[in-house]
Amino acid sequence: MSTDSEIIRRSLGRPEAFAELFDRHARAVNAFAAYRVGSDDAEDVLSETFLVAFRRRSDFDLGKESAAP
């Protein structure tokens, strides 16, 4: 199994590889968002979270294995 760092590194050259990171963490992010803003808005928060993460993936510290906070 790849670490989050490996997935992010791979996605820098192959953006579609980022989908693996989404698949790995979307459930947890959605659950947290639903807890904080309610289930009606959680999907929007989930989408925005991963859009920002994708756009800023080159800023990620590749020395860390996990992208989770």
Side-chain angles (χ1 to χ4, degrees), residues 20-43:
E20 187 177 348
L21 199 68
F22 178 87
D23 293 342
R24 182 177 289 183
H25 295 289
R27 179 177 279 209
V29 172
N30 191 61
F32 180 76
Y35 171 75
R36 297 295 293 172
V37 301
S39 58
D40 291 343
D41 295 321
E43 197 168 303

Side-chain angles (χ1 to χ4, degrees), residues 10-61:
R10 217 174 23 250
S11 79
L12 295 173
R14 291 184 27 241
E16 67 276 5
F18 194 81
E20 187 177 348
L21 199 68
F22 178 87
D23 293 342
R24 182 177 289 183
H25 295 289
R27 179 177 279 209
V29 172
N30 191 61
F32 180 76
Y35 171 75
R36 297 295 293 172
V37 301
S39 58
D40 291 343
D41 295 321
E43 197 168 303
D44 290 338
V45 171
L46 173 67
S47 297
E48 184 69 18
T49 298
F50 278 94
L51 179 61
V52 170
F54 177 79
R55 287 180 176 162
R56 297 199 53 204
R57 69 191 187 281
S58 64
D59 296 335
F60 182 75
D61 179 358

